[in-house]
Amino acid sequence: MDYGKNLKYFNSTDKLFYIGLPILIVGALLVVCELLWFFFIPYQMFIGLAIAVLGAALAFVPRSLRASEKDLDAIVSAMTDGYAKEVTENLGLEKQILRTIPPTVIGNYIYDEKDILMRRGKDDRKCRTSKYSAAAIICTKNGMVISQKTFSLIEEATKEALHEFLFADIDSLAVIDNELRHEDGTKIKDSRLVITQNGKEVLNLPTVHVIAVDRLCEDINRMIASAKS
């Protein structure tokens, strides 16, 4: 992972891109016009090429020196793919897995910490931050084992925490959607998978709120109800 390029992504802007792109277009038009025998200025071809090169440099060179949204997504995928299998094998849980609820990994960028860097993607408008959380949820006959990994995209820093719950001891699982407002006024949907016990929250895990996570909660809640009956 190139932490330097990732840091440049969060600290940079697209101002030079929006300045350079029109310059590139103007230069390209001058070149095309000369090729079509439309002349406006002396040395039009050379001037057009020079302007186009300058515009391209302004628009694309700074972007090439930093990570892109696709780069960050690829890093997250590399850090989280296979995480449930890794945890299962490390803890020797292969024979204890509840077959009706396969091991699942949930995760999302962390939005609610003060020391994070954040940027909204230019194309997909998704808010990405400098820290990510992934959690492997492994259900056994009697309960859940959850391994949560948080890692930084701008420095070498990874933390893991292990949590164990008996179905009979917890109340429920649910996905809670919160809306945060960033310093620049950006509204962010911050979803958490929340586990409650004795009426109190005992763990919340960042997640993307999708149907699969709702179904996971429903399946585990059925196991909780069965364990308490």
Side-chain angles (χ1 to χ4, degrees), residues 42-167:
Y43 307 106
Q44 182 171 308
M45 175 68 74
F46 298 106
I47 293 174
L49 286 172
I51 292 174
V53 169
L54 174 61
L58 288 173
F60 298 110
V61 171
R63 290 164 65 92
S64 69
L65 299 177
R66 72 186 191 213
S68 65
E69 286 89 4
K70 290 183 178 179
D71 292 333
L72 296 183
D73 291 342
I75 291 169
V76 167
S77 293
M79 293 289 287
T80 57
D81 286 351
Y83 184 47
K85 182 179 180 181
E86 175 189 329
V87 172
T88 300
E89 292 176 350
N90 289 344
L91 298 178
L93 298 174
E94 294 92 340
K95 295 182 180 180
Q96 302 176 46
I97 292 174
L98 193 65
R99 300 303 172 186
T100 55
I101 308 178
T104 302
V105 176
I106 64 170
N108 201 3
Y109 291 93
I110 296 174
Y111 299 110
D112 62 346
E113 295 185 8
K114 293 183 179 179
D115 61 342
I116 61 169
L117 301 176
M118 189 193 80
R119 184 173 179 182
R120 187 181 289 275
K122 183 176 70 70
D123 297 324
D124 60 11
R125 307 305 296 162
K126 178 179 178 180
C127 287
R128 296 171 176 83
T129 73
S130 56
K131 188 176 288 188
Y132 194 92
S133 166
I137 302 175
I138 302 162
C139 293
T140 64
K141 181 178 179 180
N142 296 315
M144 294 184 296
V145 176
I146 299 175
S147 181
Q148 183 183 14
K149 173 170 64 174
T150 59
F151 56 91
S152 172
L153 294 168
I154 59 172
E155 60 182 345
E156 191 171 354
T158 302
K159 294 181 180 179
E160 286 194 75
L162 190 66
H163 309 275
E164 296 184 60
F165 301 98
L166 293 174
F167 290 133

Side-chain angles (χ1 to χ4, degrees), residues 1-7 67 75 153:
M1 187 187 311
D2 192 330
Y3 296 112
K5 291 186 72 172
N6 294 349
L7 183 61
I75 291 169
L153 294 168

